[in-house]
Amino acid sequence: MSLSPAERTRLWRAERQRLGLVKLELWVPPGAKADIQAAARAIITASSRGPALLRNPDPPQGSFQMDHVIDTDWSVKSLAAALTETRLLRDGELTARVLEGSEPVLQITMHEFGDLPIYLSVGAEQIVVSALMWPVDEQKDQAAFNVFLLKAQKLVPLSNFGITTVAGRDYYEIFGELACKTTLQTVIIELRMLAENAIRAADELRETFASAA
């Protein structure tokens, strides 16, 4: 049963009180809005996991600190090295390895999300991170679902949906894009966000579409 706007507001207020949430207002440059929103969401997500944070209680150290801003573009290999060295990650959170080819790709296994594989590539102007979901030909009523997915896209923060071809078969794909010059912290936030959105898309979006059909 759907809730009215007033009922949703009352439930949200009760949940805020239960969790002890507080409201913060920040004035930031327009270009920083997406990073600030992503950082805030990542902090909330991480803090809700509680004990997982106890495995990495020390502040970041070394070459790749939280506020480390680079002057040169990332490459697949430099990102692999940075993810191995950094202490911004929780213990055992992910594993990264370089897949060699005509264009190297970084395969990142997100252990906290059921070993979900995420693929990262670096182009001339941007970093692209993506995760395959399910084959297009397994989706019932593909045309209607594609329209539904485009309408639902705004509900999935900092990620986009597309279709990509792997070994001659089309798959739904979820992806995000970053500038080649960005902080390692932002890359990690994008990886966590993409993994969370991929899991949500595989469960909630397909179920919502099926129930509405």
Side-chain angles (χ1 to χ4, degrees), residues 105-181:
V105 174
L106 189 61
Q107 178 181 295
I108 302 165
T109 304
M110 304 295 290
H111 299 302
E112 293 186 358
F113 293 89
D115 291 340
L116 174 74
I118 288 179
Y119 298 92
L120 181 151
S121 59
V122 179
E125 298 180 355
Q126 63 185 9
I127 298 169
V128 178
V129 293
S130 64
L132 293 181
M133 294 194 288
W134 59 90
V136 172
D137 57 27
E138 292 182 359
Q139 179 62 52
K140 295 181 179 179
D141 199 351
Q142 295 170 23
F145 181 75
N146 292 344
V147 172
F148 167 81
L149 202 59
L150 289 174
K151 290 181 177 179
Q153 191 156 260
K154 60 186 177 183
L155 303 178
V156 183
L158 303 180
S159 297
N160 299 295
F161 294 105
I163 295 176
T164 189
T165 302
V166 178
R169 194 178 187 187
D170 287 344
Y171 287 80
Y172 287 106
E173 176 187 41
I174 188 168
F175 63 94
E177 298 163 326
L178 299 165
C180 287
K181 291 184 176 71

Side-chain angles (χ1 to χ4, degrees), residues 35 68-75 122-127 178-184 186-187:
D35 279 352
H68 180 69
V69 179
I70 61 172
D71 296 322
T72 56
D73 292 350
W74 287 107
S75 68
V122 179
E125 298 180 355
Q126 63 185 9
I127 298 169
L178 299 165
C180 287
K181 291 184 176 71
T182 190
T183 63
L184 182 62
T186 301
V187 175

Side-chain angles (χ1 to χ4, degrees), residues 56-67 85-89 185:
N56 186 20
D58 300 322
Q61 298 176 6
S63 302
F64 300 100
Q65 299 184 32
M66 186 173 291
D67 59 352
E85 176 186 334
T86 185
R87 301 185 70 179
L88 290 171
L89 295 170
Q185 182 196 27

Side-chain angles (χ1 to χ4, degrees), residues 186-203:
T186 301
V187 175
I188 293 172
I189 289 170
E190 178 64 31
L191 292 172
R192 290 170 177 164
M193 184 66 62
L194 189 79
E196 181 179 340
N197 288 341
I199 299 299
R200 286 184 57 205
D203 295 330

